Amino acid sequence: MTDKIDGKAFAAQLCERLAQEVAALKAERGVTPCIAVVLVGEDPASQVYVRNKIARCAEVGIESREHRLTADTSQEALLELLATLNGDNTVHGILVQLPLPAQIDETAVIDAISPAKDVDGFHLQNAGALAVNQRRMVPCTPLGSLMLLEDRLGDLSGLHAVVVGRSNIVGKPMAQLLLGANCTVTIAHSRTRDLAAVCRQADILVAAVGRPRMIQGDWIKPGATVIDVGINRIEEDGKKRLVGDVDYAAAQGVAAAITPVPGGVGPMTIACLLHNTVTAAKNAMPA
Ligand code: GUN
């Protein structure tokens, strides 16, 4: 029997607590947490993500200000907008949806966001803090994944965690968080030799590669806990489907528990974005 890790329900509870906190900030301090969401171009997946993020903000009482820029926006224009948002003390969080069009250097954009407002946790200062086991703004997907793991497993000490994927957004910060939780951590990636054998060692398997159903049932150690970060849009039997990086059906009966796609990590990412925005608003207030 494989349990489904219900990220949707966990995220809903987290959002309920955040809504109470936001209401208290408004009533007691007169502050409404506010996030600026910047979308450049018309990438369809990004549009869906941004729409969802803004809708969840409204549900917990966070103000969101959407900045939609055309696909041909220059890097200079985007950096100018970020400078304005950095200087606006009514804006507590800034999120620039990735990927960006080719003419814009992603690193330059991330560098230009004030670290205190970097609710994605991608800025060098926030990534560096995490690397020395300090938590400032922690990237949302890894943070949400860790919450699900600790909720299910309690103390993670000594468990072998294998993170498949080494991106700055998910793989690397996920590995840092698991290390901070005293796991033995392996980071595997596209060049890893005998990836299946490496995965089979995992008590905790985190898949963040962006390849539909790449992780097979026999790559999973019996009794492992599996976190599937993948959100892959595929067409199958003439239908559009959303599938993870793990073959969910094949994991049944092997894994002890697995996050579904959709309804697993995705809602946690958004809940953690709201959590980071509330934290940024609280950090910006005088003591
Ligand atoms: N694109 C895909 N995932 C993310 C994310 O977590 N944050 C931002 N800003 N863009 C993304």
Side-chain angles (χ1 to χ4, degrees), residues 20 66 171 270:
Q20 287 169 12
E66 193 178 355
I270 298 185

Side-chain angles (χ1 to χ4, degrees), residues 42-225:
E42 269 124 47
D43 179 75
S46 290
Q47 287 183 338
V48 173
Y49 293 144
V50 163
R51 201 184 316 132
N52 287 340
K53 287 169 184 175
I54 287 172
R56 293 292 100 69
C57 281
E59 281 169 19
V60 304
I62 292 174
E63 182 187 347
S64 57
R65 297 186 195 156
E66 193 178 355
H67 297 265
R68 279 180 175 255
L69 307 178
T70 55
D72 62 356
T73 297
S74 69
Q75 181 167 316
E76 198 187 9
L78 178 54
L79 294 182
E80 231 170 78
L81 171 62
L82 293 175
T84 304
L85 296 173
N86 284 339
D88 181 344
N89 61 14
T90 64
V91 171
H92 306 106
I94 301 171
L95 177 141
V96 178
Q97 187 66 30
L98 304 177
L100 290 166
Q103 76 275 14
I104 299 177
D105 174 8
E106 232 162 68
T107 307
V109 169
I110 292 167
D111 279 353
I113 297 171
S114 160
K117 298 189 180 189
D118 169 37
V119 284
D120 264 323
F122 297 162
H123 191 281
L124 211 51
Q125 280 188 30
N126 290 317
L130 186 58
V132 293
N133 206 21
Q134 289 177 31
R135 292 201 192 183
R136 292 191 194 161
M137 286 293 161
V138 177
C140 305
T141 300
L143 181 60
S145 300
L146 183 74
M147 285 179 186
L148 293 178
L149 284 167
E150 289 186 327
D151 178 61
R152 168 138 194 120
L153 298 171
D155 183 9
L156 307 183
S157 285
L159 296 176
H160 188 178
V162 175
V163 179
V164 189
R166 54 175 158 178
S167 70
N168 293 334
I169 294 183
V170 183
K172 281 185 211 148
M174 185 78 247
Q176 300 285 7
L177 286 175
L178 291 164
L179 201 54
N182 299 314
C183 289
T184 301
V185 181
T186 300
I187 305 178
H189 47 80
S190 53
R191 305 278 177 91
T192 297
R193 288 196 191 144
D194 201 352
L195 182 57
V198 173
C199 290
R200 263 194 299 276
Q201 295 174 16
D203 303 306
I204 293 170
L205 183 60
V206 181
V209 277
R211 288 175 178 247
R213 297 182 185 138
M214 186 180 88
I215 310 261
Q216 306 292 305
D218 63 357
W219 296 26
I220 299 169
K221 178 174 168 176
T225 303

